[in-house]
Amino acid sequence: MKLKLSTLVAQARGGRVIRTPFLDGDDIDRRLLNDPEVRHKLAGGFPDARRVVLTLHPEHIPEVDGGVTVYRVTPHEGGPAWDAQDFAVQLKRLGLDEDSLGDLREDRGSFLIAATGKAAQQVADLTSLGGRDVDVEPVGESAGKGSKLREVVVPSMRVDVVGAKGFGVSRAYFQQGIDGGKVRLNGQPARASSEIREGDSLAADGLGRIDFKRVVNETRRGNYKVELDVHR
């Protein structure tokens, strides 16, 4: 993956817009994305998505879409209730390109599925699945609550400190997530003592994602005011 990603970055630097199929976010070496001549966008449809689509483009192109749409699929009543695994089995029987399907979430009797490319259109066109009628509604590029820039004051740049403050949860609660392997720094399992730096991304299952933007200033008491982009 590392060699391939460096090749994709080089292609984007040469003027191309490059978009991958869905990838495991943990396999992406984010350090290779820090190229001043290349911009990138990671889109998974959910703030804490494990599978993401990576789009790379030259610096002179201001913005591109993420190429991912989330659809809400609601089976009609009648017949046994499905869980997420049942729904995934029915989708697989359609023969959709698995590399074009992202995370799947169950949501109050409906199912949210992230998709890209031809698979996105195929999901959008569904009227029945597994012998049951279904309603399909596009949610958009993200099934989260959106992002919000926040400035918070922290005593250190430790992952457990910044993460808890950024998400607005207790440090003990956030530590439980770290211990359970539910927190990832730049796609890799995070340690509480790891330090987060500008440009880093911190994802926590069930909470969302924090993109560390910058250190605004250092306070007189030795604390740091930092700017975070918090995605819920």
Side-chain angles (χ1 to χ4, degrees):
M1 176 63 191
K2 185 176 294 187
L3 177 62
K4 182 180 179 182
L5 182 54
S6 63
T7 301
L8 297 180
V9 171
Q11 291 173 342
R13 194 187 305 120
R16 296 177 58 188
V17 176
I18 307 296
R19 176 166 290 152
T20 70
F22 275 100
L23 308 168
D24 188 326
D26 291 350
D27 290 339
I28 299 175
D29 187 343
R30 315 264 172 136
R31 294 170 296 181
L32 296 178
L33 301 178
N34 295 327
D35 188 307
E37 298 181 32
V38 175
R39 295 188 181 188
H40 73 274
K41 185 167 187 174
L42 289 166
F46 304 93
D48 56 345
R50 288 189 174 274
R51 285 171 58 77
V52 296
V53 168
L54 170 64
T55 303
L56 299 161
H57 57 99
E59 193 275 337
H60 68 268
I61 298 178
E63 187 64 37
V64 297
D65 68 77
V68 174
T69 303
V70 176
Y71 294 93
R72 178 183 297 277
V73 182
T74 306
H76 288 194
E77 293 183 3
W82 286 349
D83 59 18
Q85 185 174 0
D86 296 326
F87 183 81
V89 168
Q90 298 301 333
L91 270 186
K92 191 170 184 177
R93 288 176 177 170
L94 295 178
L96 303 182
D97 179 9
E98 293 187 7
D99 289 339
S100 296
L101 296 176
D103 286 8
L104 167 65
R105 308 285 171 91
E106 187 173 358
D107 183 48
R108 293 168 296 180
S110 298
F111 300 91
L112 298 171
I113 178 71
T116 189
K118 291 181 179 179
Q121 188 59 55
Q122 289 172 295
V123 172
D125 291 341
L126 284 177
T127 56
S128 65
L129 184 65
R132 297 176 66 175
D133 291 340
V134 296
D135 293 325
V136 180
E137 173 191 5
V139 175
E141 276 201 45
S142 176
K145 301 176 183 177
S147 66
K148 181 179 181 181
L149 280 177
R150 295 189 62 194
E151 287 189 358
V152 299
V153 176
V154 292
S156 77
M157 299 298 175
R158 285 172 54 114
V159 159
D160 57 345
V161 173
V162 176
K165 194 77 170 181
F167 287 123
V169 299
S170 72
R171 193 165 165 184
Y173 178 84
F174 197 69
Q175 181 65 54
Q176 290 177 2
I178 294 174
D179 293 341
K182 297 181 179 180
V183 178
R184 301 177 299 283
L185 178 63
N186 297 328
Q188 302 299 316
R191 293 182 299 175
S193 60
S194 298
E195 288 203 346
I196 186 169
R197 299 179 175 85
E198 292 182 14
D200 284 349
S201 179
L202 186 68
D205 292 354
L207 292 176
R209 188 184 81 246
I210 290 174
D211 294 331
F212 193 104
K213 305 298 286 185
R214 64 190 178 104
V215 177
V216 178
N217 58 44
E218 186 173 353
T219 69
R220 292 181 180 178
R221 297 185 177 182
N223 295 326
Y224 302 92
K225 179 184 284 187
V226 299
E227 184 180 72
L228 310 174
D229 192 4
V230 182
H231 301 257
R232 292 286 190 173

